[in-house]
Amino acid sequence: MNAIELLKEDHKKVKGLFEKVKATDEASEQRSLYEKIAEELEVHTHIEEEIFYPYVIENGDEELSDLTKEGIEEHHEVKVLIREIANLTDESEKLEPKLTVLMENVGHHVQEEEGEMFPMCEEQFDAATLEELGTKLEEEKANYKPCASAASGR
Ligand SMILES: [Fe+2]
Ligand SMILES: [Fe+2]
C-alpha cells in the first residue's frame, strides 16, 4: 500500500474515535475511547518516526525536511498530553479540557501532514518509493506492540 494512503487511513480512524468522545459526556466511556486513541496514536507516531519521517528528513528538500522535524516535536507534545491524561482520574475536572486540547493538537498536526507534508512528499518522491515505504510501514505496524502502560498510566 502507498505510504500516504496508509497514514491517512490511520488519521481517519483516530478522527472517528475523537468524534465518539465528543458525542458522549460519560467519563468512563470517554476514558475507554481515549485508551483506544492513545494506543492508535502510539502505533501511528511510532511507525512515522521509525520509518516515514527519517526517510523524508533524509531525502526531502529543506522545507520538507524542516516541516517533518517540526512534526516530531508535535508528536512529542501529544505524547506528553497522553501521559498526563493517563494519570487523571475519571472524576478529574482536567479530563475533558485535556482531551479537548489533545484533540486540537492532533487535528492541527494531521492537517499539516495532509495539507503540506504529504503533498510535498508526492511531489518529491516517486510512486514506487511511496509504495515501498508503505510496505515497510505495514510491516512495522504488524510487528509493533504498543505498551499498554502509555494509556493506563501504569
Ligand atoms: Fe500522521
Ligand atoms: Fe505525525
Side-chain angles (χ1 to χ4, degrees), residues 7 11 44 48 53 75 109-110 113 118:
L7 296 173
H11 292 170
H44 181 77
E48 281 187 340
Y53 284 9
H75 283 182
H109 178 70
V110 164
E113 286 188 339
F118 294 172

Side-chain angles (χ1 to χ4, degrees), residues 8-21 36-41 44 103 106 110:
K8 279 187 179 169
E9 266 182 26
D10 280 358
H11 292 170
K12 227 163 113 185
K13 194 167 176 189
V14 170
K15 198 177 167 214
L17 288 167
F18 272 132
E19 268 156 22
K20 284 190 190 164
V21 171
K36 270 194 213 126
I37 290 168
E39 194 176 304
E40 286 294 329
L41 288 176
H44 181 77
M103 209 173 327
V106 170
V110 164

